[in-house]
Amino acid sequence: MEIKFMSKIRNDFLWGASTSAYQVEGSISEDGKVSSIMDDVANRDNYSKDITDFRDASGHYKNWKEDVKLFAEMGMKSYRFSISWPRIMKNLKGDVNEQGIKFYSDLIDELIKYKIEPVVTIYHFDAPNFIFEDGKFTDKRFIQLFENYCKVLFEAYGSKVKYWLTINELNMFAMASSAIGILKSNQIINRWQIVHALNVAQARAINLCHEMLPNAKIGPAPNLGCIYTNSSKPIDYTAKLNMDLVRNWVYLDIACKGHYSKTFLEFVKKNNEVFLIDPKDMEDIKRAKPDFIAFNYYSSMTVEMTNEETNIKLAQDQQSGHTIPNFAAAVKNTNLEKTQFGWEIDPQGFKNTLREVYERYNLPIMITENGIGARDVLTKDGKIHDTYRIEYYQKHISKMLEAINEGVDIIGYMPWSAIDLVSTHEGISKRYGFIYVNRNEFDLKDMKRYKKDSFYWYKDLIATNGEKI
């Protein structure tokens, strides 16, 4: 596969990979970590009893040195990971867990030793349960607790970390909150009030970062995907505009432009989902200026218009999409291949999304998730022949390079995931990593690490700065 004009990739491009704390670390009750909302996800009504929870995950908490050494062997220039809020903060009073502080400090030092840039996600779904003791996501208390947590992180790691991500997939709190387990199953919510509270918390984090760490860079990290119409009917294009609004742009408009669009506000009013906006909160939001946009991309979405009689259908995961009466409905795209787990594969959609985001906001872009989940097989001789993963990355990275050659400013690519971890929906059986972890759903086996074929392929790609694709 030939790509021309490769010189347009910056020499300091951040080739790397990603994980999240609750999906990779395990050791959920060790060294002072308090309980997380994700710890009991296996007890939710919509969680299959046939798949594991996050109690042991990939054992990264105990094997982080070995893992970082493997990352370095693969040639990673960056590692995007999250810090576990409940591993850092003990309670509502704001007491700090020094063992948690030390763990991430040691991890960051080890990354720097191998010349791997740490890219830190402040909050990746695993809120500590104590924030629900006398409140909820929509309370002012939550915003203050989040700001206090950010201050602790900036003080502890600010001299070592250059790149910060605020809240992973903030838009999924509105689009798929129950599916990804970030809200308690019995909660009655106004999803847009939650999103607004998170937007305020995000703005506080950006402002605080700029005040405390003037040399650092910080940005949002939503889950994005371009939207297609299911037909050439003009009304379906209206559905595309509608879904684009609530799937993609609301969350970046508020972060990058400092306001909600009038169209969005009319939508929530029409659907009786009006949320309260404190003028002082909007001052914080308007003052917050992200330095870049990070986003996660897995697939595009195809939609058609619905009528008033259409039943509401909530998203089953990050990629399935909503059905909203008289607004839009996600439908299958017969032009696209699918993964073993049913997610549509759309490399061209990746390029489309990159162009749309850059042309709309004109900020540097960092890709913080992109990948294919599959049922990898460990052979008797210790090999994992994941040619499907290599093909997936070849197609997507080729389209990313095309976008770069056409002027899109992309500063890093950190696909999902650096090492096998526990999927939020399908357990450890849905593997994403370049590195295989030898365990299954309920048998931890020896947790040994094995390098997949994709490990060696990505190593060569990084070594040639994208030329050997």
Side-chain angles (χ1 to χ4, degrees):
M1 192 175 297
E2 183 180 355
I3 301 295
K4 298 180 179 179
F5 308 114
M6 299 299 292
S7 61
K8 289 192 176 181
I9 302 176
R10 55 175 74 210
N11 291 328
D12 60 350
F13 191 83
L14 294 173
W15 295 105
S18 297
T19 64
S20 80
Y22 76 91
Q23 292 173 276
V24 75
E25 287 179 2
S27 302
I28 64 171
S29 302
E30 294 188 30
D31 294 339
K33 180 185 175 296
V34 299
S35 64
S36 156
I37 194 171
M38 301 305 291
D39 291 351
D40 62 350
V41 70
N43 296 321
R44 307 284 169 81
D45 294 337
N46 63 347
Y47 196 83
S48 172
K49 303 305 179 185
D50 296 325
I51 61 177
T52 188
D53 57 21
F54 307 110
R55 186 168 305 279
D56 299 291
S58 303
H60 177 69
Y61 188 76
K62 295 179 179 178
N63 297 283
W64 60 273
K65 278 198 173 184
E66 176 189 355
D67 293 342
V68 171
K69 188 176 181 180
L70 285 167
F71 300 164
E73 182 183 339
M74 192 161 52
M76 285 169 48
K77 307 296 183 184
S78 60
Y79 174 46
R80 178 254 184 168
F81 63 98
S82 71
I83 290 178
S84 172
W85 186 349
R87 204 178 283 285
I88 297 295
M89 308 303 295
K90 293 182 176 181
N91 48 42
L92 288 172
K93 294 188 296 181
D95 292 332
V96 175
N97 176 25
E98 294 300 334
Q99 290 173 292
I101 293 288
K102 184 179 185 303
F103 170 71
Y104 292 109
S105 182
D106 290 345
L107 173 61
I108 291 167
D109 286 344
E110 193 76 1
L111 292 168
I112 292 172
K113 183 179 82 173
Y114 285 106
K115 295 182 170 55
I116 299 173
E117 189 79 55
V119 178
V120 175
T121 307
I122 295 170
Y123 173 38
H124 193 129
F125 298 163
D126 54 343
N129 276 324
F130 65 68
I131 71 169
F132 300 103
E133 288 177 15
D134 63 352
K136 49 192 175 183
F137 278 108
T138 54
D139 289 348
K140 291 282 188 181
R141 182 71 175 272
F142 167 81
I143 296 170
Q144 188 59 56
L145 289 170
F146 184 76
E147 186 175 16
N148 294 344
Y149 164 56
C150 290
K151 185 178 180 182
V152 170
L153 298 191
F154 295 155
E155 288 176 343
Y157 312 121
S159 63
K160 305 175 183 180
V161 176
K162 179 180 178 181
Y163 293 101
W164 297 87
L165 311 179
T166 54
I167 299 170
N168 180 73
E169 297 187 353
L170 190 156
N171 52 333
M172 289 302 127
F173 283 75
M175 301 299 291
S177 58
S178 295
I180 56 181
I182 51 180
L183 296 178
K184 293 181 180 294
S185 58
N186 61 352
Q187 277 188 287
I188 299 174
I189 64 167
N190 178 332
R191 58 177 175 166
W192 300 116
Q193 194 70 61
I194 290 175
V195 166
H196 178 65
L198 292 170
N199 283 330
V200 177
Q202 174 171 261
R204 296 269 191 95
I206 292 172
N207 291 330
L208 187 64
C209 181
H210 287 154
E211 292 167 10
M212 295 180 63
L213 310 174
N215 296 321
K217 297 181 184 299
I218 188 168
N223 179 310
L224 303 179
C226 66
I227 311 292
Y228 305 132
T229 61
N230 195 40
S231 76
S232 57
K233 296 176 184 177
I235 195 66
D236 281 348
Y237 189 79
T238 302
K240 171 237 177 347
L241 295 176
N242 289 344
M243 190 63 80
D244 249 337
L245 186 67
V246 299
R247 173 69 174 77
N248 295 322
W249 306 138
V250 166
Y251 320 93
L252 287 179
D253 280 354
I254 194 69
C256 301
K257 298 181 179 180
H259 62 80
Y260 294 107
S261 74
K262 292 182 179 179
T263 307
F264 168 69
L265 294 175
E266 286 299 317
F267 161 75
V268 297
K269 182 178 179 181
K270 181 179 179 180
N271 287 274
N272 297 315
E273 293 183 286
V274 177
F275 56 98
L276 300 176
I277 300 176
D278 187 328
K280 291 182 180 179
D281 291 340
M282 293 309 297
E283 291 176 10
D284 288 331
I285 287 173
K286 290 176 181 177
R287 189 162 57 91
K289 304 294 181 185
D291 301 294
F292 61 89
I293 294 171
F295 73 84
N296 305 340
Y297 174 87
Y298 290 94
S299 185
S300 56
M301 184 184 294
T302 303
V303 299
E304 63 185 12
M305 182 53 76
T306 52
N307 56 42
E308 293 183 358
E309 284 73 42
T310 305
N311 292 324
I312 294 176
K313 182 180 179 182
L314 300 179
Q316 298 303 304
D317 56 47
Q318 290 97 315
Q319 303 310 126
S320 60
H322 271 0
T323 295
I324 305 173
N326 205 31
F327 189 80
V331 296
K332 293 180 180 179
N333 189 327
T334 57
N335 298 300
L336 300 176
E337 297 178 20
K338 293 179 176 60
T339 71
Q340 292 177 354
F341 289 85
W343 286 14
E344 294 175 341
I345 301 172
D346 187 4
Q348 185 65 42
F350 185 31
K351 178 182 175 180
N352 295 342
T353 307
L354 287 164
R355 285 191 52 180
E356 284 185 300
V357 172
Y358 189 65
E359 289 167 11
R360 189 177 178 99
Y361 301 105
N362 197 32
L363 284 171
I365 292 172
M366 178 186 292
I367 303 305
T368 44
E369 287 184 30
N370 174 231
I372 181 170
R375 298 185 187 279
D376 296 339
V377 176
L378 177 67
T379 63
K380 291 181 179 179
D381 59 349
K383 307 293 184 184
I384 302 93
H385 302 303
D386 56 339
T387 54
Y388 40 84
R389 183 166 291 111
I390 294 171
E391 291 171 359
Y392 178 97
Y393 283 130
Q394 284 175 326
K395 292 175 181 178
H396 282 77
I397 293 173
S398 293
K399 291 301 177 181
M400 179 183 73
L401 298 180
E402 286 181 13
I404 290 173
N405 292 335
E406 293 173 14
V408 179
D409 185 9
I410 306 174
I411 60 177
Y413 177 75
M414 283 149 268
W416 190 260
S417 55
I419 186 170
D420 283 347
L421 38 66
V422 178
S423 165
T424 306
H425 313 290
E426 284 91 6
I428 194 70
S429 297
K430 186 180 185 182
R431 296 178 182 270
Y432 280 92
F434 292 107
I435 300 164
Y436 186 95
V437 177
N438 189 34
R439 63 157 295 184
N440 62 24
E441 297 298 345
F442 299 106
D443 183 358
L444 297 181
K445 299 186 178 181
D446 59 6
M447 288 281 206
K448 185 177 178 180
R449 274 63 168 146
Y450 292 87
K451 303 165 198 173
K452 302 180 187 179
D453 287 355
S454 59
F455 177 101
Y456 298 103
W457 173 84
Y458 195 43
K459 179 179 180 178
D460 288 344
L461 178 84
I462 295 172
T464 61
N465 199 26
E467 290 186 18
K468 191 174 180 180
I469 197 166

mmCIF file of all heavy atoms in Angstrom, residues 142-172:
data_model
loop_
_atom_site.group_PDB
_atom_site.id
_atom_site.type_symbol
_atom_site.label_atom_id
_atom_site.label_comp_id
_atom_site.label_asym_id
_atom_site.label_seq_id
_atom_site.Cartn_x
_atom_site.Cartn_y
_atom_site.Cartn_z
ATOM 1 N N PHE A 142 -20.345 17.891 42.793
ATOM 2 C CA PHE A 142 -19.552 17.064 41.885
ATOM 3 C C PHE A 142 -18.502 17.892 41.155
ATOM 4 O O PHE A 142 -17.342 17.488 41.043
ATOM 5 C CB PHE A 142 -20.450 16.358 40.860
ATOM 6 C CG PHE A 142 -19.677 15.749 39.719
ATOM 7 C CD1 PHE A 142 -19.050 14.523 39.870
ATOM 8 C CD2 PHE A 142 -19.540 16.419 38.512
ATOM 9 C CE1 PHE A 142 -18.312 13.964 38.835
ATOM 10 C CE2 PHE A 142 -18.799 15.871 37.469
ATOM 11 C CZ PHE A 142 -18.186 14.650 37.631
ATOM 12 N N ILE A 143 -18.898 19.050 40.663
ATOM 13 C CA ILE A 143 -17.972 19.913 39.925
ATOM 14 C C ILE A 143 -16.800 20.319 40.806
ATOM 15 O O ILE A 143 -15.644 20.299 40.381
ATOM 16 C CB ILE A 143 -18.719 21.155 39.389
ATOM 17 C CG1 ILE A 143 -19.793 20.726 38.380
ATOM 18 C CG2 ILE A 143 -17.742 22.145 38.759
ATOM 19 C CD1 ILE A 143 -20.739 21.837 37.966
ATOM 20 N N GLN A 144 -17.094 20.650 42.063
ATOM 21 C CA GLN A 144 -16.033 21.052 42.977
ATOM 22 C C GLN A 144 -15.121 19.880 43.323
ATOM 23 O O GLN A 144 -13.889 20.018 43.377
ATOM 24 C CB GLN A 144 -16.629 21.640 44.256
ATOM 25 C CG GLN A 144 -15.599 22.267 45.178
ATOM 26 C CD GLN A 144 -14.834 23.402 44.507
ATOM 27 O OE1 GLN A 144 -15.435 24.356 44.022
ATOM 28 N NE2 GLN A 144 -13.505 23.301 44.464
ATOM 29 N N LEU A 145 -15.711 18.697 43.516
ATOM 30 C CA LEU A 145 -14.902 17.507 43.794
ATOM 31 C C LEU A 145 -13.973 17.195 42.633
ATOM 32 O O LEU A 145 -12.805 16.831 42.823
ATOM 33 C CB LEU A 145 -15.806 16.305 44.071
ATOM 34 C CG LEU A 145 -16.573 16.297 45.390
ATOM 35 C CD1 LEU A 145 -17.597 15.165 45.394
ATOM 36 C CD2 LEU A 145 -15.621 16.158 46.576
ATOM 37 N N PHE A 146 -14.486 17.350 41.416
ATOM 38 C CA PHE A 146 -13.667 17.087 40.235
ATOM 39 C C PHE A 146 -12.526 18.094 40.131
ATOM 40 O O PHE A 146 -11.384 17.722 39.834
ATOM 41 C CB PHE A 146 -14.538 17.134 38.980
ATOM 42 C CG PHE A 146 -13.804 16.778 37.714
ATOM 43 C CD1 PHE A 146 -13.502 15.457 37.430
ATOM 44 C CD2 PHE A 146 -13.403 17.750 36.813
ATOM 45 C CE1 PHE A 146 -12.818 15.111 36.264
ATOM 46 C CE2 PHE A 146 -12.718 17.425 35.646
ATOM 47 C CZ PHE A 146 -12.429 16.096 35.378
ATOM 48 N N GLU A 147 -12.829 19.349 40.404
ATOM 49 C CA GLU A 147 -11.784 20.379 40.351
ATOM 50 C C GLU A 147 -10.715 20.106 41.417
ATOM 51 O O GLU A 147 -9.509 20.264 41.152
ATOM 52 C CB GLU A 147 -12.384 21.768 40.545
ATOM 53 C CG GLU A 147 -11.366 22.885 40.353
ATOM 54 C CD GLU A 147 -11.991 24.265 40.436
ATOM 55 O OE1 GLU A 147 -13.128 24.395 40.935
ATOM 56 O OE2 GLU A 147 -11.336 25.229 39.988
ATOM 57 N N ASN A 148 -11.122 19.705 42.603
ATOM 58 C CA ASN A 148 -10.159 19.379 43.663
ATOM 59 C C ASN A 148 -9.264 18.214 43.250
ATOM 60 O O ASN A 148 -8.049 18.221 43.503
ATOM 61 C CB ASN A 148 -10.894 19.034 44.960
ATOM 62 C CG ASN A 148 -11.647 20.218 45.542
ATOM 63 O OD1 ASN A 148 -11.405 21.367 45.164
ATOM 64 N ND2 ASN A 148 -12.570 19.949 46.437
ATOM 65 N N TYR A 149 -9.867 17.214 42.625
ATOM 66 C CA TYR A 149 -9.122 16.052 42.128
ATOM 67 C C TYR A 149 -8.100 16.486 41.070
ATOM 68 O O TYR A 149 -6.931 16.061 41.099
ATOM 69 C CB TYR A 149 -10.115 15.037 41.573
ATOM 70 C CG TYR A 149 -9.561 13.954 40.699
ATOM 71 C CD1 TYR A 149 -8.547 13.099 41.136
ATOM 72 C CD2 TYR A 149 -10.078 13.746 39.419
ATOM 73 C CE1 TYR A 149 -8.066 12.081 40.320
ATOM 74 C CE2 TYR A 149 -9.602 12.739 38.604
ATOM 75 C CZ TYR A 149 -8.597 11.906 39.054
ATOM 76 O OH TYR A 149 -8.119 10.900 38.240
ATOM 77 N N CYS A 150 -8.520 17.344 40.154
ATOM 78 C CA CYS A 150 -7.607 17.848 39.124
ATOM 79 C C CYS A 150 -6.423 18.579 39.746
ATOM 80 O O CYS A 150 -5.275 18.417 39.307
ATOM 81 C CB CYS A 150 -8.342 18.794 38.173
ATOM 82 S SG CYS A 150 -9.537 17.985 37.086
ATOM 83 N N LYS A 151 -6.701 19.376 40.763
ATOM 84 C CA LYS A 151 -5.617 20.122 41.423
ATOM 85 C C LYS A 151 -4.579 19.175 42.011
ATOM 86 O O LYS A 151 -3.361 19.413 41.901
ATOM 87 C CB LYS A 151 -6.200 21.026 42.517
ATOM 88 C CG LYS A 151 -5.146 21.921 43.172
ATOM 89 C CD LYS A 151 -5.777 22.843 44.211
ATOM 90 C CE LYS A 151 -4.713 23.740 44.849
ATOM 91 N NZ LYS A 151 -5.292 24.620 45.890
ATOM 92 N N VAL A 152 -5.049 18.086 42.622
ATOM 93 C CA VAL A 152 -4.129 17.096 43.188
ATOM 94 C C VAL A 152 -3.254 16.498 42.086
ATOM 95 O O VAL A 152 -2.029 16.358 42.242
ATOM 96 C CB VAL A 152 -4.911 15.984 43.920
ATOM 97 C CG1 VAL A 152 -3.988 14.831 44.302
ATOM 98 C CG2 VAL A 152 -5.593 16.547 45.169
ATOM 99 N N LEU A 153 -3.862 16.171 40.942
ATOM 100 C CA LEU A 153 -3.098 15.594 39.834
ATOM 101 C C LEU A 153 -2.090 16.582 39.269
ATOM 102 O O LEU A 153 -0.927 16.220 39.001
ATOM 103 C CB LEU A 153 -4.038 15.127 38.720
ATOM 104 C CG LEU A 153 -5.045 14.022 39.036
ATOM 105 C CD1 LEU A 153 -5.694 13.522 37.746
ATOM 106 C CD2 LEU A 153 -4.393 12.873 39.770
ATOM 107 N N PHE A 154 -2.515 17.813 39.084
ATOM 108 C CA PHE A 154 -1.606 18.813 38.505
ATOM 109 C C PHE A 154 -0.421 19.083 39.435
ATOM 110 O O PHE A 154 0.706 19.278 38.979
ATOM 111 C CB PHE A 154 -2.367 20.101 38.207
ATOM 112 C CG PHE A 154 -3.440 19.956 37.147
ATOM 113 C CD1 PHE A 154 -4.532 20.825 37.126
ATOM 114 C CD2 PHE A 154 -3.363 18.960 36.195
ATOM 115 C CE1 PHE A 154 -5.518 20.704 36.152
ATOM 116 C CE2 PHE A 154 -4.366 18.819 35.215
ATOM 117 C CZ PHE A 154 -5.442 19.694 35.206
ATOM 118 N N GLU A 155 -0.692 19.097 40.736
ATOM 119 C CA GLU A 155 0.391 19.310 41.701
ATOM 120 C C GLU A 155 1.348 18.120 41.722
ATOM 121 O O GLU A 155 2.566 18.280 41.814
ATOM 122 C CB GLU A 155 -0.180 19.545 43.098
ATOM 123 C CG GLU A 155 -0.843 20.900 43.266
ATOM 124 C CD GLU A 155 -1.487 21.066 44.640
ATOM 125 O OE1 GLU A 155 -1.707 20.030 45.323
ATOM 126 O OE2 GLU A 155 -1.779 22.214 45.024
ATOM 127 N N ALA A 156 0.800 16.913 41.625
ATOM 128 C CA ALA A 156 1.615 15.699 41.738
ATOM 129 C C ALA A 156 2.417 15.406 40.479
ATOM 130 O O ALA A 156 3.581 14.974 40.554
ATOM 131 C CB ALA A 156 0.730 14.508 42.076
ATOM 132 N N TYR A 157 1.815 15.664 39.307
ATOM 133 C CA TYR A 157 2.436 15.208 38.062
ATOM 134 C C TYR A 157 2.684 16.314 37.039
ATOM 135 O O TYR A 157 3.167 16.033 35.938
ATOM 136 C CB TYR A 157 1.554 14.122 37.417
ATOM 137 C CG TYR A 157 1.103 13.049 38.380
ATOM 138 C CD1 TYR A 157 -0.254 12.812 38.605
ATOM 139 C CD2 TYR A 157 2.031 12.279 39.081
ATOM 140 C CE1 TYR A 157 -0.677 11.830 39.487
ATOM 141 C CE2 TYR A 157 1.620 11.299 39.973
ATOM 142 C CZ TYR A 157 0.260 11.079 40.179
ATOM 143 O OH TYR A 157 -0.137 10.113 41.062
ATOM 144 N N GLY A 158 2.370 17.529 37.409
ATOM 145 C CA GLY A 158 2.467 18.633 36.451
ATOM 146 C C GLY A 158 3.850 18.864 35.881
ATOM 147 O O GLY A 158 3.995 19.303 34.737
ATOM 148 N N SER A 159 4.881 18.545 36.643
ATOM 149 C CA SER A 159 6.252 18.749 36.158
ATOM 150 C C SER A 159 6.682 17.655 35.188
ATOM 151 O O SER A 159 7.715 17.778 34.522
ATOM 152 C CB SER A 159 7.225 18.800 37.340
ATOM 153 O OG SER A 159 7.232 17.556 38.044
ATOM 154 N N LYS A 160 5.886 16.573 35.103
ATOM 155 C CA LYS A 160 6.265 15.424 34.283
ATOM 156 C C LYS A 160 5.358 15.214 33.073
ATOM 157 O O LYS A 160 5.772 14.604 32.091
ATOM 158 C CB LYS A 160 6.221 14.151 35.127
ATOM 159 C CG LYS A 160 7.061 14.176 36.395
ATOM 160 C CD LYS A 160 6.830 12.904 37.201
ATOM 161 C CE LYS A 160 7.588 12.921 38.517
ATOM 162 N NZ LYS A 160 7.351 11.676 39.303
ATOM 163 N N VAL A 161 4.119 15.698 33.150
ATOM 164 C CA VAL A 161 3.123 15.413 32.113
ATOM 165 C C VAL A 161 2.848 16.662 31.292
ATOM 166 O O VAL A 161 2.453 17.696 31.834
ATOM 167 C CB VAL A 161 1.809 14.891 32.738
ATOM 168 C CG1 VAL A 161 0.750 14.684 31.663
ATOM 169 C CG2 VAL A 161 2.069 13.591 33.499
ATOM 170 N N LYS A 162 3.003 16.536 29.984
ATOM 171 C CA LYS A 162 2.785 17.657 29.078
ATOM 172 C C LYS A 162 1.375 17.654 28.502
ATOM 173 O O LYS A 162 0.798 18.713 28.251
ATOM 174 C CB LYS A 162 3.804 17.597 27.938
ATOM 175 C CG LYS A 162 3.670 18.710 26.909
ATOM 176 C CD LYS A 162 4.711 18.576 25.814
ATOM 177 C CE LYS A 162 4.556 19.666 24.763
ATOM 178 N NZ LYS A 162 5.562 19.531 23.670
ATOM 179 N N TYR A 163 0.808 16.461 28.276
ATOM 180 C CA TYR A 163 -0.503 16.342 27.624
ATOM 181 C C TYR A 163 -1.532 15.764 28.585
ATOM 182 O O TYR A 163 -1.325 14.691 29.172
ATOM 183 C CB TYR A 163 -0.403 15.444 26.395
ATOM 184 C CG TYR A 163 0.436 16.015 25.278
ATOM 185 C CD1 TYR A 163 1.751 15.582 25.084
ATOM 186 C CD2 TYR A 163 -0.066 16.985 24.420
ATOM 187 C CE1 TYR A 163 2.536 16.095 24.066
ATOM 188 C CE2 TYR A 163 0.712 17.507 23.395
ATOM 189 C CZ TYR A 163 2.007 17.059 23.226
ATOM 190 O OH TYR A 163 2.776 17.584 22.214
ATOM 191 N N TRP A 164 -2.657 16.479 28.713
ATOM 192 C CA TRP A 164 -3.753 16.053 29.574
ATOM 193 C C TRP A 164 -5.044 15.968 28.767
ATOM 194 O O TRP A 164 -5.321 16.832 27.931
ATOM 195 C CB TRP A 164 -3.957 17.054 30.712
ATOM 196 C CG TRP A 164 -2.795 17.176 31.654
ATOM 197 C CD1 TRP A 164 -1.707 17.993 31.516
ATOM 198 C CD2 TRP A 164 -2.604 16.467 32.882
ATOM 199 N NE1 TRP A 164 -0.849 17.837 32.578
ATOM 200 C CE2 TRP A 164 -1.380 16.914 33.438
ATOM 201 C CE3 TRP A 164 -3.351 15.515 33.581
ATOM 202 C CZ2 TRP A 164 -0.888 16.426 34.648
ATOM 203 C CZ3 TRP A 164 -2.867 15.029 34.792
ATOM 204 C CH2 TRP A 164 -1.646 15.485 35.307
ATOM 205 N N LEU A 165 -5.851 14.948 29.046
ATOM 206 C CA LEU A 165 -7.198 14.819 28.501
ATOM 207 C C LEU A 165 -8.174 14.982 29.656
ATOM 208 O O LEU A 165 -7.944 14.453 30.737
ATOM 209 C CB LEU A 165 -7.398 13.454 27.841
ATOM 210 C CG LEU A 165 -6.324 12.996 26.855
ATOM 211 C CD1 LEU A 165 -6.667 11.611 26.321
ATOM 212 C CD2 LEU A 165 -6.184 13.985 25.713
ATOM 213 N N THR A 166 -9.258 15.677 29.432
ATOM 214 C CA THR A 166 -10.182 16.005 30.519
ATOM 215 C C THR A 166 -11.061 14.826 30.915
ATOM 216 O O THR A 166 -10.824 14.157 31.926
ATOM 217 C CB THR A 166 -11.058 17.192 30.125
ATOM 218 O OG1 THR A 166 -11.709 16.896 28.861
ATOM 219 C CG2 THR A 166 -10.241 18.468 29.999
ATOM 220 N N ILE A 167 -12.082 14.535 30.113
ATOM 221 C CA ILE A 167 -13.074 13.504 30.420
ATOM 222 C C ILE A 167 -13.228 12.614 29.194
ATOM 223 O O ILE A 167 -13.575 13.100 28.112
ATOM 224 C CB ILE A 167 -14.431 14.127 30.796
ATOM 225 C CG1 ILE A 167 -14.274 15.011 32.039
ATOM 226 C CG2 ILE A 167 -15.485 13.046 31.018
ATOM 227 C CD1 ILE A 167 -15.497 15.850 32.354
ATOM 228 N N ASN A 168 -12.968 11.343 29.353
ATOM 229 C CA ASN A 168 -13.107 10.434 28.218
ATOM 230 C C ASN A 168 -14.565 10.297 27.794
ATOM 231 O O ASN A 168 -15.440 10.027 28.615
ATOM 232 C CB ASN A 168 -12.567 9.047 28.585
ATOM 233 C CG ASN A 168 -12.695 8.068 27.439
ATOM 234 O OD1 ASN A 168 -11.971 8.144 26.453
ATOM 235 N ND2 ASN A 168 -13.637 7.131 27.552
ATOM 236 N N GLU A 169 -14.817 10.504 26.505
ATOM 237 C CA GLU A 169 -16.125 10.292 25.895
ATOM 238 C C GLU A 169 -17.260 10.934 26.689
ATOM 239 O O GLU A 169 -18.264 10.287 27.016
ATOM 240 C CB GLU A 169 -16.371 8.795 25.674
ATOM 241 C CG GLU A 169 -15.367 8.194 24.686
ATOM 242 C CD GLU A 169 -15.663 6.758 24.287
ATOM 243 O OE1 GLU A 169 -16.588 6.147 24.869
ATOM 244 O OE2 GLU A 169 -14.985 6.244 23.381
ATOM 245 N N LEU A 170 -17.105 12.207 26.962
ATOM 246 C CA LEU A 170 -18.141 12.951 27.683
ATOM 247 C C LEU A 170 -19.501 12.800 26.998
ATOM 248 O O LEU A 170 -20.538 12.708 27.665
ATOM 249 C CB LEU A 170 -17.731 14.420 27.779
ATOM 250 C CG LEU A 170 -18.541 15.356 28.679
ATOM 251 C CD1 LEU A 170 -17.674 16.534 29.107
ATOM 252 C CD2 LEU A 170 -19.798 15.881 27.996
ATOM 253 N N ASN A 171 -19.507 12.738 25.665
ATOM 254 C CA ASN A 171 -20.775 12.632 24.945
ATOM 255 C C ASN A 171 -21.506 11.320 25.222
ATOM 256 O O ASN A 171 -22.730 11.239 25.097
ATOM 257 C CB ASN A 171 -20.572 12.814 23.437
ATOM 258 C CG ASN A 171 -19.506 11.909 22.841
ATOM 259 O OD1 ASN A 171 -18.575 11.481 23.514
ATOM 260 N ND2 ASN A 171 -19.625 11.638 21.557
ATOM 261 N N MET A 172 -20.768 10.285 25.631
ATOM 262 C CA MET A 172 -21.421 9.005 25.901
ATOM 263 C C MET A 172 -22.208 9.002 27.215
ATOM 264 O O MET A 172 -23.012 8.111 27.458
ATOM 265 C CB MET A 172 -20.394 7.875 25.896
ATOM 266 C CG MET A 172 -19.864 7.570 24.500
ATOM 267 S SD MET A 172 -21.185 7.123 23.350
ATOM 268 C CE MET A 172 -20.885 8.257 21.995
#
